């Protein structure tokens, strides 16, 4: 049986821009558009040319190859002709392939927000759609507040949608702008729209997550007949966010209830890159990925329950609703003081560390982890520090070098010319092969200075760590009872493309950072030897 | 028409404990149980007595007053009698009011995980339920993997549920253990279970968020007839988490589709405290609240779109799906370089700062905010720093004191007795009323030392800041192009119970912290004068 095609419309660059704290530059938009285009989205909505300098500049070129490049904008104002509307002109003159007009479909908003008559609004819709068609752009219409408008005045909401369709809009998109509509209502109202004569393969859904059901509302609309789904990467968007395409897509492609009936423009290979896409986007937003995110989250296929863990290892399928690889994610058996022995063994094996279930050093390691996690260490988030702790406990990690002492100094004062000036300096005394080496460095802040000084001269190991660099640094204050202690997590990476996290805990942020820096360097040295398969020989 | 009662079953302390990174102590559990009890949950599942020392200790007392206190555990093992099963003994001897047994209802798991026959499993279910009843505990049964089990072998899954009900279980809970079931499947299967003779007011739903639809699945089950909903605070739980009761509850109570048919044990007053409950729980977990969380998130009623903002202020209802106060949240018009003028004016008015729309200083402020946000400042998250910037731009903030210079030193070395020792010291030179004061202090780390030294002697202002304390400290590395810059957010509070956030941005973490500390102190001094209504007189 021929599968029906579902079209994906990404509005990360337009509605996603409404997310508190998110503000894309033209460069950001170019990078993100490329990611979406390469991934295979059918439509990439880039913004609102004419509304702000960034979007106007962004639309001076076509920014996608495979995806249709969409400009968003308002329908023409009442009282002026389409040809005399500057806003509309900016849209048709942009380098977009398609124009998505936002049109009021709730009579209340027509009156209050637009201040025109219902008829003028309908006329604006048809005139705008026709102007886009005349300019050779694929026209579509976002019916704003459609579901609330339909509840208030079904006749008028339908009239808006039918006017758009009648004027030749490729897509009429039903928007739950305020995000409060429930899936059952979406199903019912979409059914009525189709019954009113707009075929489902010309209908889209635009859902918001204000009741935590943007994904469910989108899928309910698909079940009811719509064939275009609008959403964003990682569900960013105004208020609680838009429908999360990163969640919807795997469900459409992997769940028989949908996969047996529908197909998308996304290949299986592309789907296997969706975790990477999601994390790359968070990187770009400079925020930590949501560990609990469906399909792509670091915890999505993680288990720490002892009993589950052992059964899971017997037969993953029975504890996983889909296979992690299909979405480019991996199974994780958590190391945590909740975890049973089998978790530790599985995790250690994954890291190429063999250990027997009855090895007493394994019990030592488990109690060490419990003890240190009680102090504030978080090995779940610091794989490299865990591996070092395990190797130290189970085998031998060579003591490559020894830090005798360090000193950091930060001074802020007015210089001779009267400008405020801050200088950070670190001095490190380290012993390599019995030889004492003292290094001093300035840096952007004490941790940076300490990092530079520490890696300035490690004697014979120096050449090994030249490609090591610190890529992220996170600080968390743990209120462990009376005294606040600081947890520092550091992400490092090297020329091989490997990334690893290390952790340090102390009352003192510099001390905690130092621990994490040390772990990072030692892990790198151990890793080099592992690669050379020579740890034993050390 | 008589409304049907929906029962809320909170498993934050049991299934929530499976969240990677979450590990409750007995003290944590006592605090959380009190929060849930006071809020009005019908059932509070506290853990698994007998499975670990924490839970065993926790169940040595009844920990709730209004809520039923529930112990979770496995049904008796096959081959032993209920009276000889130590696990079951721990449950019936606990101080719980009710026992929730987890029972396999997927024949595959009966064979693989339990290694017993289907009949032995049924016998274990009925014997366990009867043992709980005999001990005077309200019995309920979580049918693990019910939906997957039903798809594989409907007859056996139903047999498990019917056996539990037949043996006298007050609730038979249908669990989507792997979290992959879709709402339409939930509706259909729940319907079949009811048709098979188990009344809906004896059925519960336990959903997981692996396809982002735990909330939708729970509500679909309610629509299909179940009357108990299991979930957790803020949706914590294994993998992608459990159904989020903080999202489900407002929907049940505020959305006509549910509110007209159902009632819960939660009062409207309690509901108005749900934002506080959600944030207090995050505090306890020591993690930042999810800004985008439905109903309770900091962004849930926030808008930064210029057009929306102005219309929103005209008539909130038309842009908000519920009123923020009903869930104890507040409307926010974001200050951000996306925001239009009206956002700024609204935000300033909210802070008691009056300004005319045509005041040129307002344009200065807007461009200042844009400029500084481009540098990395995040005023959305630092209300106090924003208010200071606004007051400085629009009016006058007295220059209470001037910091001439500061110096921080952190030294780590082995002391005479050979122990590693780290000392942090800060020296601050400050001018108050033309008088130079120099203060030195040691602290847990350089920022703490700087904070102490800075607040050690501010002359005539000293008594005003004695109740000021630093409660949280967040550091974020912003990769602004080539050079990484650091953003520090500091939360302060004082004896009046007020809390405020300040921000600092610099390449240097100490510099950034210093800016945020200064803003915090100055804001406190301005606030004192505001309270005294005397800023003008200054």
């Amino acid at each position: 049986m021929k599968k029906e095609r579902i079209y994906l419309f990404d509005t990360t660059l337009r509605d996603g821009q409404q997310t508190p704290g998110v503000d894309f530059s033209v460069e950001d938009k170019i990078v993100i558009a490329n990611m979406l285009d390469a991934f295979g989205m059918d439509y990439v909505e880039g913004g609102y040319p004419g509304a702000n300098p960034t979007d106007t500049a962004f639309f001076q070129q076509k920014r996608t190859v495979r995806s249709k490049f969409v400009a968003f904008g308002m329908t023409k104002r009442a009282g002026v002709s389409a040809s005399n509307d500057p806003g509309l002109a900016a849209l048709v003159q942009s380098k977009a392939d398609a124009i998505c007009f936002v049109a009021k479909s709730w009579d209340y908003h027509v009156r209050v927000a637009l201040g025109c008559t219902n008829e003028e609004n309908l006329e604006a819709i048809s005139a705008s759609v026709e102007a886009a068609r005349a300019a050779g752009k694929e026209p579509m219409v976002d019916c704003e507040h459609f579901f609330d408008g339909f509840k208030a005045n079904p006749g008028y909401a339908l009239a808006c949608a039918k006017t758009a369709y009648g004027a030749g809009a490729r897509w009429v998109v039903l928007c739950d702008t305020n995000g409060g509509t429930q899936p059952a209502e979406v199903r019912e109202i979409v059914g009525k729209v189709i019954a009113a004569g707009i075929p489902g393969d010309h209908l889209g859904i635009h859902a918001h997550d204000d009741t935590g059901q943007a994904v469910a509302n989108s899928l309910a609309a698909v079940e009811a007949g719509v064939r275009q789904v609008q959403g964003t990467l990682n569900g960013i968007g105004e208020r609680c966010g838009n429908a999360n395409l990163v969640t919807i897509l795997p469900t459409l492609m992997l769940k028989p209830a949908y996969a047996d009936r529908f197909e998308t423009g996304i290949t299986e290979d592309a789907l296997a890159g969706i975790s990477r896409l999601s994390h790359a986007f968070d990187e770009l937003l400079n925020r930590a990925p949501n560990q609990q995110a469906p399909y792509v989250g670091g915890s999505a296929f993680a288990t720490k329950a002892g009993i589950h863990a052992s059964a899971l290892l017997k037969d993953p399928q029975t504890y996983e609703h889909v296979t992690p690889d299909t979405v480019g994610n991996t199974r994780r058996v958590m190391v945590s003081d909740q975890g049973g022995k089998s978790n530790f063994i599985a995790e250690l094996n994954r890291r190429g560390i063999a250990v027997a279930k009855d090895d007493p050093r394994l019990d030592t390691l488990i109690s060490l982890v419990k003890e240190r996690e009680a102090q504030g260490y978080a090995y779940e988030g610091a794989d490299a520090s865990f591996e070092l702790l395990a190797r130290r406990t189970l085998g031998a990690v060579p003591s490559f070098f020894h830090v005798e002492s360090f000193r950091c100094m930060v001074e802020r004062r007015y210089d001779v010319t009267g400008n405020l000036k801050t200088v950070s300096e670190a001095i490190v005394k380290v012993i390599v092969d019995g030889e004492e080496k003292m290094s001093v460095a300035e840096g952007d802040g004490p941790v940076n200075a300490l990092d530079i000084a520490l890696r300035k001269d490690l004697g014979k190991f120096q050449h090994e760590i030249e490609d090591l660099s610190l890529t992220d640094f996170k600080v968390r204050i743990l209120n462990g009872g009376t005294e606040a202690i600081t947890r520092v997590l550091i992400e490092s990476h090297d020329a091989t493309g490997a990334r690893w996290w290390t952790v340090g805990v102390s009352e003192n942020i510099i001390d905690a950072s130092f621990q994490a820096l040390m772990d990072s360097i030692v892990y790198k040295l151990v890793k080099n030897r592992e690669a050379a398969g020579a740890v034993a020989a050390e």
Side-chain angles (χ1 to χ4, degrees), chain A:
Chain A
M1 144 214 175
K2 174 93 180 62
K3 291 185 178 181
E4 288 186 73
R5 177 80 149 80
I6 304 291
Y7 293 83
L8 300 169
F9 183 104
D10 182 282
T11 183
T12 300
L13 298 176
R14 201 273 304 169
D15 223 4
Q17 174 98 328
Q18 295 304 323
T19 314
V22 169
D23 186 16
F24 299 123
S25 65
V26 175
E27 294 65 33
D28 293 334
K29 288 199 167 200
I30 292 169
V31 172
I32 297 165
N34 290 340
M35 288 163 56
L36 296 166
D37 190 24
F39 184 71
M41 295 292 182
D42 296 295
Y43 295 91
V44 172
E45 190 173 48
Y48 189 165
N52 61 69
T54 303
D55 288 356
T56 304
F58 186 57
F59 276 92
Q60 271 158 15
Q61 284 179 47
K62 177 162 157 44
R63 304 291 186 177
T64 58
V65 179
R66 299 158 60 195
S67 310
K68 286 185 180 166
F69 187 46
V70 186
F72 172 90
M74 301 228 255
T75 52
K76 78 163 190 68
R77 277 170 305 148
V80 300
S81 72
S83 50
N84 291 334
D85 187 285
L88 188 52
L91 293 174
V92 294
Q93 283 152 26
S94 77
K95 291 283 183 293
D97 305 308
I99 298 175
C100 184
F101 292 104
V102 57
K104 304 282 182 197
S105 53
W106 184 353
D107 55 356
Y108 175 90
H109 282 273
V110 172
R111 195 167 65 253
V112 173
L114 295 185
C116 69
T117 69
N118 289 351
E119 295 61 34
E120 287 172 319
N121 182 48
L122 295 178
E123 194 274 333
I125 293 173
S126 52
S128 304
V129 169
E130 281 151 12
R133 272 173 57 214
K137 313 277 191 196
E138 176 178 319
M140 55 188 99
V141 175
D142 273 1
C143 293
E144 194 184 18
H145 295 292
F146 185 83
F147 295 95
D148 294 320
F150 188 95
K151 291 181 196 172
N153 181 342
Y156 188 68
L158 273 175
C160 295
K162 290 167 82 169
T163 300
Y165 178 61
R170 166 66 185 91
W171 293 105
V172 178
V173 182
L174 312 178
C175 302
D176 183 29
T177 307
N178 295 356
T181 308
Q182 299 299 299
E185 298 168 325
V186 169
R187 260 195 312 279
E188 181 194 342
I189 293 173
V190 167
K192 288 179 177 169
V193 172
I194 292 175
I198 308 180
D201 60 6
H202 282 68
L203 288 174
I205 180 74
H206 176 105
H208 279 271
D209 208 33
D210 297 75
T211 74
Q213 297 182 99
V215 166
N217 279 340
S218 304
L219 293 170
V222 168
E223 284 169 14
V226 315
R227 296 297 174 252
Q228 187 208 81
V229 177
Q230 295 195 350
T232 60
L233 289 179
N234 298 348
I236 68 167
E238 193 163 21
R239 303 187 312 275
C240 306
N242 289 64
N244 187 349
L245 290 178
V246 173
T247 305
I248 291 173
L249 189 56
T251 299
L252 282 174
M253 292 177 69
L254 300 175
K255 292 291 168 188
Y258 302 101
D260 296 349
R261 294 176 51 200
F262 304 115
E263 62 185 11
T264 70
I266 309 297
T267 64
E268 284 185 9
D269 286 356
L271 185 65
I274 199 166
S275 292
R276 204 161 58 252
L277 174 70
S278 171
H279 299 156
F281 181 61
D282 278 327
E283 267 310 310
L284 202 134
L285 289 180
N286 192 9
R287 64 180 196 181
N290 170 9
Q291 291 297 304
Q292 291 200 311
Y295 296 107
V296 300
S299 302
F301 298 94
T303 177
K304 73 181 199 183
I307 330 145
H308 275 192
S310 37
L312 177 71
L313 299 169
K314 271 191 215 149
D315 185 352
Q317 271 77 339
T318 63
Y319 281 95
E320 289 171 350
H321 72 113
V322 300
T323 322
D325 347 347
T326 55
V327 289
N329 205 340
T330 52
R331 180 172 306 128
R332 272 172 74 211
V333 180
M334 308 297 300
V335 171
S336 143
D337 60 3
Q338 277 296 296
K341 225 170 183 173
S342 51
N343 302 18
F344 277 83
I345 295 174
E347 181 65 16
L348 293 171
N349 293 343
R350 210 169 65 71
R351 305 185 158 277
I353 306 172
V355 57
K357 200 171 169 66
D358 55 4
D359 186 328
R361 296 172 307 175
L362 182 60
D363 304 307
T364 315
L365 174 62
I366 292 174
S367 50
L368 244 176
V369 168
K370 285 181 195 232
E371 189 184 301
R372 291 170 68 90
E373 289 201 337
Q375 291 163 24
Y377 288 83
Y379 289 109
E380 289 168 12
D383 53 350
S385 287
F386 168 72
E387 182 168 335
L388 281 182
L389 185 66
R391 288 186 182 280
R392 288 194 174 112
T393 316
L394 299 174
V397 172
S399 68
F400 300 99
F401 59 92
H402 171 74
V403 174
E404 191 59 18
S405 69
F406 69 74
R407 192 164 77 243
C408 295
M409 199 270 298
V410 178
E411 186 160 19
R412 167 152 153 162
R413 56 151 31 103
Y414 293 88
D415 64 15
V416 285
T417 63
N419 301 324
L420 254 187
K421 196 160 177 308
T422 307
V423 181
S424 301
E425 179 188 283
I427 295 166
V428 175
K429 204 187 286 179
V430 55
I431 295 171
V432 189
D433 287 341
E435 191 189 335
E436 183 175 284
K437 298 167 175 300
M438 210 166 161
S439 303
V440 60
E442 284 191 345
D444 304 331
V447 177
N448 181 236
L450 186 59
D451 178 37
I452 297 170
L454 197 54
R455 294 196 272 135
K456 203 165 179 183
D457 184 4
L458 286 181
K460 65 175 181 183
F461 301 114
Q462 193 56 30
H463 69 284
E464 286 193 46
I465 58 169
E466 247 126 42
D467 65 333
L468 168 67
S469 68
L470 187 159
T471 50
D472 200 358
F473 176 68
K474 290 183 185 155
V475 179
R476 191 94 180 80
I477 305 296
L478 309 172
N479 295 324
T482 56
E483 255 162 358
I485 59 170
T486 305
R487 172 196 296 154
V488 168
L489 285 163
I490 286 180
E491 187 189 40
S492 311
H493 90 306
D494 66 13
T496 68
R499 293 178 168 273
W500 61 93
W501 284 92
T502 53
V503 63
V505 170
S506 164
E507 289 176 350
N508 185 321
I509 190 172
I510 304 293
D511 240 341
S513 306
F514 176 74
Q515 294 171 25
L517 287 171
M518 286 289 287
D519 269 8
S520 173
I521 296 169
V522 174
Y523 177 80
K524 165 72 171 162
L525 294 173
V526 169
K527 180 173 157 292
N528 291 351
R529 278 150 192 69
E530 275 296 286
V535 159
E538 194 65 39

